[in-house]
């Protein structure tokens, strides 16, 4: 049974400088909610209540966000701001959230190895702290359903444009059903001409504990980082691994353009903003068109 989630959130976020110089990219808001809160909510919606966040230097704001804030709660209560009071006090009790600090930023594989004591002999979910996935059924739940079928590691994948494969981990595998694949290989950031497919690893994984023994001895790979992809390639020699082409839309908040697009999409989904914001967007487009002609 999958009961625990690990959220790596220690990275420097260099693609989003300068804002990430002194604040975690995982705290960048989509309207009024930090990115990592969507990730934690996805875990909870999938029935997971034990979450380990891999934190690091400059990431205190994440810990504070999920902590109780008695002064703020008292103030909101006294001022009769009931809705805000419940929102803020809920955050301190969302789930059983633990933190551990990654001492050196040696890559995603290294970050995950810090979870070993916490997850022990159990399979666990890895959810990237800078990736949110908009879906009807939480993607983590979709992966758990596949795990329950095979009791082996499962990776969320999505199709990407062939010219973009060099940005992602890419899988090779044989299709088992419409959405499920059995892996035969996985490679980090392949050149388009050498890519085994256009199915990209999408920021959610269920891993078996066997991965830890591999991460222990793994040398640095692409970008001189300990790559989870390399560990999975070795794991594949010992166990089956499955990939699941999830239903939903992935948003990578660590990338400025994706961040902007996500903010617009989420604003249009919010009842209080949908209409006036759409009007605003239309007026911006009309103005730009006028300039063009
Ligand atoms: P990224 O590679 O997108 O994060 O890792 P990064 O290194 O912060 O990004 P850039 O390239 O410099 O902009 C995906 C997730 O893994 C975490 C990150 O915090 C992010 O949520 N991560 C990455 C770690 O926890 N530790 C690491 O050593 C690397």
């Amino acid at each position: 049974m999958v009961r625990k989630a690990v959220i790596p959130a220690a990275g420097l976020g260099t693609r989003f400088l300068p804002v990430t110089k002194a604040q975690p990219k995982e705290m960048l808001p989509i309207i009024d909610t930090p990115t990592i809160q969507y990730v934690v909510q996805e875990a909870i919606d999938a029935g997971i209540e034990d979450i380990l966040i891999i934190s690091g230097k400059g990431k205190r704001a994440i810990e504070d966000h999920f902590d109780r804030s008695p002064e703020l709660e008292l103030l909101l209560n006294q001022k009769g701001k009931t809705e805000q009071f419940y929102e803020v006090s809920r955050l301190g009790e969302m789930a059983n959230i633990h933190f551990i600090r990654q001492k050196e930023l040696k890559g995603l594989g290294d970050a995950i190895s810090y979870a070993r004591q916490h997850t022990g002999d159990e399979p666990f979910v890895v959810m990237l702290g800078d990736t949110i996935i908009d879906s009807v059924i939480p993607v983590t739940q979709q992966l758990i359903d596949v795990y329950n079928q095979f009791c082996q590691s499962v990776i969320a994948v999505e199709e990407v444009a062939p010219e973009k494969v060099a940005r992602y981990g890419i899988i090779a595998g044989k299709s088992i059903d419409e959405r499920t694949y059995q892996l035969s290989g996985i490679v980090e950031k392949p050149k388009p001409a050498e890519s085994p497919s256009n199915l990209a690893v999408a920021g959610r994984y269920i891993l078996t504990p066997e991965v830890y023994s591999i991460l222990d001895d793994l040398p640095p790979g692409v970008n001189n980082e300990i790559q989870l992809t390399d560990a999975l390639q070795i794991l594949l020699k010992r166990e089956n691994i499955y990939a699941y082409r999830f239903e939903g839309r992935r948003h990578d908040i660590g990338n400025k353009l994706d961040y902007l697009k996500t903010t617009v999409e989420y604003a249009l989904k919010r009842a209080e903003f949908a209409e006036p914001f759409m009007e605003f967007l239309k007026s911006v487009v009309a103005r730009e068109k006028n300039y063009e002609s």
Side-chain angles (χ1 to χ4, degrees), residues 7-243:
I7 305 182
L12 285 178
T14 53
R15 283 172 298 157
F16 224 126
L17 281 166
V19 73
T20 46
K21 179 169 181 260
Q23 62 171 313
K25 72 170 160 182
E26 294 79 7
M27 287 298 291
L28 288 173
I30 303 301
I31 310 174
D32 51 7
T33 302
T35 298
I36 196 163
Q37 190 179 324
Y38 289 94
V39 181
V40 166
Q41 188 63 53
E42 181 192 321
I44 293 167
D45 291 345
I48 285 176
E49 282 173 8
D50 186 301
I51 297 170
L52 177 69
I53 296 181
I54 313 292
S55 152
K57 196 167 174 287
K59 302 280 181 169
R60 257 297 294 280
I62 300 178
E63 294 180 37
D64 288 343
H65 186 71
F66 293 108
D67 200 358
R68 293 295 299 266
S69 180
E71 304 81 7
L72 179 60
E73 287 169 33
L74 185 67
L75 197 93
L76 291 171
N77 217 352
Q78 281 169 349
K79 295 200 163 179
K81 300 196 169 199
T82 322
E83 204 181 309
Q84 288 93 333
F85 168 77
Y86 282 117
E87 182 65 39
V88 165
S89 49
R90 184 182 82 92
L91 282 170
E93 290 162 358
M94 270 184 95
N96 201 358
I97 303 183
H98 314 265
F99 293 88
I100 190 165
R101 284 168 80 99
Q102 186 183 12
K103 296 199 173 61
E104 272 179 81
L105 295 179
K106 293 198 216 157
L108 180 60
D110 178 66
I112 290 168
S113 68
Y114 281 78
R116 181 200 285 244
Q117 276 213 322
H118 193 81
T119 63
D121 294 336
E122 299 182 28
F124 56 97
V125 192
V126 172
M127 313 170 78
L128 297 193
D130 64 350
T131 300
I132 59 181
I133 302 182
D134 187 18
S135 61
V136 180
I137 300 169
V139 175
T140 293
Q141 181 65 59
Q142 297 180 38
L143 296 189
I144 289 175
D145 291 344
V146 180
Y147 177 84
N148 287 343
Q149 214 179 327
F150 299 106
C151 293
Q152 301 281 346
S153 298
V154 188
I155 304 172
V157 293
E158 67 171 358
E159 283 175 339
V160 295
E163 66 274 13
K164 290 188 179 160
V165 289
R167 298 184 194 170
Y168 301 96
I170 301 287
I171 66 145
K174 74 166 197 272
S175 155
I176 295 182
D177 62 35
E178 204 201 328
R179 293 190 171 272
T180 318
Y181 301 81
Q182 186 176 341
L183 252 67
S184 56
I186 182 166
V187 51
E188 188 63 32
K189 301 187 173 54
K191 292 193 182 108
E194 290 161 16
S195 187
S197 75
N198 67 335
L199 290 170
V201 174
R204 299 288 186 270
Y205 315 71
I206 292 179
L207 301 177
T208 57
E210 184 73 20
V211 75
Y212 290 123
S213 62
I214 299 168
L215 286 168
D216 279 347
D217 303 319
L218 199 65
V222 173
N223 295 340
N224 207 25
E225 292 183 345
I226 311 278
Q227 295 286 354
L228 177 61
T229 311
D230 295 342
L232 294 176
Q233 178 65 43
I234 298 171
L235 184 64
L236 198 49
K237 292 183 190 136
R238 304 185 191 174
E239 299 179 349
N240 285 338
I241 302 180
Y242 294 87

Side-chain angles (χ1 to χ4, degrees), residues 16 25 27-31 35 251-264:
F16 224 126
K25 72 170 160 182
M27 287 298 291
L28 288 173
I30 303 301
I31 310 174
T35 298
H251 303 277
D252 174 8
I253 304 306
N255 158 328
K256 290 177 189 175
L257 184 60
D258 255 19
Y259 175 76
L260 278 174
K261 290 180 184 172
T262 309
T263 302
V264 171

